Amino acid sequence: SSVGGTVLKERKLSPKSSVSSRIERLNGRLFFRGWIVVFVPTPSQSDQPAVKSMLKLAPRRLFAASVSKAVYVEGNFTRPVSYVDALFLSTFLRREGSETRQILRQDDAGQKHPLVFPPEPVRKAVMVAPIMKHPKLMVNASVDTSPSIGIKTAVKVMQLEAGLDPLAPESESPRLRRQGEFYQFVRSVVNRKELRSSFEPTYLYDARHWITSSSLVHDFTSEEGRELRCRWLEEHTLWSNEYDQLSFAHVMAINRLERQLRRVEPDVYSAGARLDRMSDSERVLYGLINDNVDWHQWHSILSDDEKSGRTDPSLFISMDDVITDMTRVKKLLPERDINKTDYFVRIFLPDASALERQSFDKEMRRGKRLPRTKTFSRGKRKIFTVNENHTNSR
């Protein structure tokens, strides 16, 4: 980038200084497009999968203890990601609790229905990612509350996103093929009816949390987030291929099984029977509610207190239970504590993010602004603003 002569002189540099000396003297001191630029040296073992993936999947130790969140964005976007873009993505990590509220919505027949939403606890996402770009996945919850595609289809989408031809034999490496086959084997064994007692609940291994990992938001403040990142990095490093979305779907499938077992959630047959028992009027309400919430973008995970036994997991109230309860004339669930925090992984839809961005931009116009001075300080470190439209030295 272009750095003015005044800045070079103050940092005891000249236009003829070497690139290495410039990096050493200016590292962490240049402010460009809303970012304080930090040049990271190339690791001595940069070809190792664990090293290549750490910055993306488990970056906590690369930052100071005071850093609470991090946004990862790959460099293949059509335009540079700004500070405001990153700040917007970071807002996806938290949803404040809310009191009881009522909204009026109209069904396809023109009849209006009052929807009474119960109090909601704080929702905290330990990680945020956009959903994989496949037509079956990018649908609103009113169309399908749990859309899914198979592992083979997901791998083809990953290859397309990487600019490869899924039909070409060379597009699928031996490691990728073995990983996909192993996950399909796990699904076959875990879901096999012959191995189950007729008295146990039927929880299924289902790799359905498909993401596009070109942009990620990590929360560094919770043990739940640390454990998820470590599991993901370990699983991805084990297979050593370029598609981390596949290992993420597996880790989330295992997390889902653990959560269902610990919380004694309704199994696949009980959940299906619950929907079958709904009356026509309840089904209408069920669709309207799903059309007005983004709850199905929030995938619940066990909290550290639940795993350690400090909290009874069976007392957790799922989003599906809440929606079902809202369709009833007489409510059966107890009210939830809005001061309680529930933990999730959020996989968002593009349409939902577009609406939130409009609201966010309005807040930004009224509030936060980027520094506009030529210099400012972060602690004792003096930061120099780089003007990309004015180049006077290289």
Side-chain angles (χ1 to χ4, degrees), residues 14-49:
S14 72
K16 296 182 179 180
S17 298
S18 65
V19 173
S20 59
S21 61
R22 287 192 184 199
I23 289 176
E24 181 182 355
R25 301 292 296 170
L26 296 172
N27 202 3
R29 293 181 178 272
L30 299 179
F31 184 75
F32 181 68
R33 290 180 176 172
W35 300 99
I36 296 176
V37 183
V38 177
F39 300 95
V40 180
T42 303
S44 58
Q45 296 180 326
S46 60
D47 60 330
Q48 296 298 315

Side-chain angles (χ1 to χ4, degrees), residues 196-260:
R196 297 179 183 274
S197 163
S198 58
F199 300 101
E200 67 175 290
T202 304
Y203 298 129
L204 304 179
Y205 172 91
D206 189 7
R208 63 186 313 113
H209 300 85
W210 300 111
I211 63 172
T212 296
S213 61
S214 56
S215 59
L216 301 170
V217 188
H218 294 289
D219 170 68
F220 291 160
T221 64
S222 64
E223 174 63 20
E224 292 79 5
R226 186 199 67 80
E227 183 172 341
L228 177 69
R229 293 191 298 273
C230 288
R231 279 189 171 190
W232 188 10
L233 179 63
E234 183 180 26
E235 181 67 21
H236 181 59
T237 305
L238 175 66
W239 296 102
S240 301
N241 71 56
E242 60 275 32
Y243 300 112
D244 47 55
Q245 306 100 305
L246 192 54
S247 51
F248 176 78
H250 173 72
V251 168
M252 288 296 293
I254 298 299
N255 281 348
R256 183 169 177 261
L257 279 173
E258 292 177 349
R259 187 199 75 212
Q260 289 174 324

Side-chain angles (χ1 to χ4, degrees), residues 264-314:
V264 197
E265 295 181 3
D267 66 4
V268 63
Y269 297 113
S270 300
R274 177 171 56 182
L275 294 176
D276 292 339
R277 289 194 298 266
M278 283 186 179
S279 64
D280 291 341
S281 60
E282 288 175 338
R283 287 179 182 277
V284 170
L285 287 175
Y286 186 79
L288 287 174
I289 294 167
N290 278 311
D291 200 31
N292 285 276
V293 298
D294 64 356
W295 294 346
H296 291 285
Q297 296 180 27
W298 299 75
H299 303 272
S300 180
I301 61 175
L302 287 169
S303 68
D304 190 47
D305 286 345
E306 288 178 286
K307 292 179 180 178
S308 61
R310 294 190 293 268
T311 301
D312 185 357
S314 63

Side-chain angles (χ1 to χ4, degrees), residues 84-104:
V84 178
D85 295 330
L87 188 61
F88 166 65
L89 286 173
S90 70
T91 64
F92 280 34
L93 287 170
R94 185 178 176 88
R95 180 68 55 79
E96 297 297 336
S98 60
E99 301 285 355
T100 302
R101 66 190 192 281
Q102 176 176 314
I103 62 175
L104 200 63

Side-chain angles (χ1 to χ4, degrees), residues 150-162:
I151 292 175
K152 289 186 177 180
T153 302
V155 169
K156 289 180 180 179
V157 176
M158 296 174 204
Q159 292 170 331
L160 285 171
E161 290 179 346

